[in-house]
Short mmCIF file of all heavy atoms in Angstrom, two decimals:
data_model
loop_
_atom_site.label_atom_id
_atom_site.label_comp_id
_atom_site.label_asym_id
_atom_site.label_seq_id
_atom_site.Cartn_x
_atom_site.Cartn_y
_atom_site.Cartn_z
N PRO Z 375 -25.23 26.56 38.04
CA PRO Z 375 -26.09 26.12 36.95
C PRO Z 375 -26.76 24.80 37.33
O PRO Z 375 -26.26 24.09 38.22
CB PRO Z 375 -25.13 25.88 35.78
CG PRO Z 375 -23.78 26.26 36.24
CD PRO Z 375 -23.80 26.48 37.70
N GLY Z 376 -27.82 24.46 36.68
CA GLY Z 376 -28.44 23.18 36.98
C GLY Z 376 -29.78 23.02 36.31
O GLY Z 376 -30.28 23.92 35.64
N PHE Z 377 -30.35 21.85 36.52
CA PHE Z 377 -31.63 21.49 35.90
C PHE Z 377 -32.51 20.81 36.93
O PHE Z 377 -32.00 20.09 37.79
CB PHE Z 377 -31.39 20.55 34.72
CG PHE Z 377 -30.65 21.23 33.60
CD1 PHE Z 377 -29.27 21.29 33.62
CD2 PHE Z 377 -31.34 21.84 32.56
CE1 PHE Z 377 -28.57 21.94 32.61
CE2 PHE Z 377 -30.65 22.49 31.55
CZ PHE Z 377 -29.28 22.55 31.58
N ILE Z 402 -25.04 31.88 38.13
CA ILE Z 402 -24.66 31.40 36.80
C ILE Z 402 -25.82 30.60 36.23
O ILE Z 402 -26.18 29.55 36.77
CB ILE Z 402 -23.38 30.53 36.86
CG1 ILE Z 402 -22.21 31.31 37.46
CG2 ILE Z 402 -23.02 30.00 35.48
CD1 ILE Z 402 -21.72 32.48 36.64
N CYS Z 403 -26.36 31.05 35.15
CA CYS Z 403 -27.44 30.39 34.41
C CYS Z 403 -28.63 30.12 35.35
O CYS Z 403 -29.33 31.05 35.72
CB CYS Z 403 -26.93 29.14 33.72
SG CYS Z 403 -28.00 28.70 32.34
N LEU Z 404 -28.81 28.89 35.82
CA LEU Z 404 -29.89 28.65 36.78
C LEU Z 404 -29.74 29.57 37.99
O LEU Z 404 -30.72 30.05 38.54
CB LEU Z 404 -29.89 27.18 37.24
CG LEU Z 404 -31.05 26.82 38.17
CD1 LEU Z 404 -32.36 26.76 37.40
CD2 LEU Z 404 -30.80 25.49 38.86
N GLN Z 407 -31.48 32.71 37.30
CA GLN Z 407 -32.93 32.53 37.35
C GLN Z 407 -33.41 32.48 38.80
O GLN Z 407 -34.42 33.08 39.17
CB GLN Z 407 -33.32 31.25 36.58
CG GLN Z 407 -32.91 31.32 35.10
CD GLN Z 407 -33.10 30.00 34.34
OE1 GLN Z 407 -33.51 29.00 34.92
NE2 GLN Z 407 -32.80 30.01 33.05
N GLU Z 426 -39.99 25.57 35.33
CA GLU Z 426 -39.19 24.35 35.40
C GLU Z 426 -39.42 23.63 36.74
O GLU Z 426 -39.37 22.41 36.80
CB GLU Z 426 -37.69 24.68 35.24
CG GLU Z 426 -36.79 23.46 35.25
CD GLU Z 426 -35.32 23.77 35.01
OE1 GLU Z 426 -34.94 24.96 35.04
OE2 GLU Z 426 -34.55 22.82 34.76
N MET Z 452 -31.41 22.77 23.31
CA MET Z 452 -31.40 23.99 24.13
C MET Z 452 -30.80 25.16 23.34
O MET Z 452 -30.32 25.00 22.23
CB MET Z 452 -30.58 23.74 25.39
CG MET Z 452 -31.37 23.04 26.47
SD MET Z 452 -30.43 22.90 27.98
CE MET Z 452 -29.88 21.22 27.83
N ARG Z 481 -26.27 27.50 27.65
CA ARG Z 481 -26.90 26.17 27.64
C ARG Z 481 -28.15 26.25 28.51
O ARG Z 481 -28.10 25.99 29.70
CB ARG Z 481 -25.94 25.11 28.18
CG ARG Z 481 -26.51 23.70 28.15
CD ARG Z 481 -25.48 22.70 28.60
NE ARG Z 481 -25.95 21.35 28.42
CZ ARG Z 481 -26.15 20.49 29.43
NH1 ARG Z 481 -25.89 20.82 30.66
NH2 ARG Z 481 -26.59 19.28 29.18
N HIS Z 482 -29.24 26.67 27.92
CA HIS Z 482 -30.46 26.78 28.73
C HIS Z 482 -31.70 26.69 27.87
O HIS Z 482 -31.66 26.85 26.65
CB HIS Z 482 -30.45 28.09 29.52
CG HIS Z 482 -30.54 29.32 28.68
ND1 HIS Z 482 -31.57 30.22 28.78
CD2 HIS Z 482 -29.72 29.81 27.73
CE1 HIS Z 482 -31.37 31.21 27.93
NE2 HIS Z 482 -30.26 30.99 27.27
N ARG Z 483 -32.79 26.39 28.57
CA ARG Z 483 -34.08 26.25 27.90
C ARG Z 483 -35.07 27.29 28.43
O ARG Z 483 -36.01 27.65 27.77
CB ARG Z 483 -34.63 24.84 28.17
CG ARG Z 483 -35.57 24.34 27.13
CD ARG Z 483 -36.10 22.96 27.46
NE ARG Z 483 -35.13 21.89 27.52
CZ ARG Z 483 -34.54 21.32 26.47
NH1 ARG Z 483 -34.80 21.75 25.24
NH2 ARG Z 483 -33.70 20.32 26.62
N TYR Z 484 -34.84 27.73 29.66
CA TYR Z 484 -35.75 28.68 30.30
C TYR Z 484 -35.12 30.06 30.26
O TYR Z 484 -33.93 30.20 30.06
CB TYR Z 484 -36.03 28.24 31.74
CG TYR Z 484 -36.76 26.92 31.80
CD1 TYR Z 484 -36.06 25.72 31.70
CD2 TYR Z 484 -38.14 26.87 31.91
CE1 TYR Z 484 -36.72 24.51 31.72
CE2 TYR Z 484 -38.82 25.66 31.93
CZ TYR Z 484 -38.10 24.48 31.84
OH TYR Z 484 -38.75 23.28 31.85
N GLN Z 526 -27.16 34.70 32.37
CA GLN Z 526 -27.80 33.53 31.77
C GLN Z 526 -26.74 32.63 31.11
O GLN Z 526 -26.99 31.47 30.79
CB GLN Z 526 -28.84 34.02 30.74
CG GLN Z 526 -29.78 32.97 30.23
CD GLN Z 526 -30.57 32.28 31.32
OE1 GLN Z 526 -31.56 32.77 31.78
NE2 GLN Z 526 -30.10 31.12 31.74
N HIS Z 528 -22.60 30.99 30.63
CA HIS Z 528 -21.61 30.22 31.39
C HIS Z 528 -20.22 30.79 31.10
O HIS Z 528 -19.45 30.18 30.34
CB HIS Z 528 -21.63 28.76 30.97
CG HIS Z 528 -22.88 28.03 31.37
ND1 HIS Z 528 -22.99 27.35 32.56
CD2 HIS Z 528 -24.05 27.89 30.73
CE1 HIS Z 528 -24.19 26.81 32.64
NE2 HIS Z 528 -24.86 27.11 31.55
N1 LIG A 3 -32.41 24.72 33.86
C1 LIG A 3 -32.22 26.06 33.42
C2 LIG A 3 -32.60 26.24 31.97
O1 LIG A 3 -32.73 25.30 31.25
C3 LIG A 3 -30.78 26.49 33.64
C4 LIG A 3 -29.79 25.75 32.82
C5 LIG A 3 -28.36 25.92 33.31
O2 LIG A 3 -28.12 26.31 34.44
N2 LIG A 3 -27.39 25.60 32.45
O3 LIG A 3 -32.78 27.35 31.53
#
Side-chain angles (χ1 to χ4, degrees):
F377 294 84
I402 302 294
C403 203
L404 184 72
Q407 299 172 358
E426 182 177 12
M452 277 185 261
R481 182 176 187 243
H482 66 119
R483 206 181 296 286
Y484 295 82
Q526 192 57 82
H528 291 269

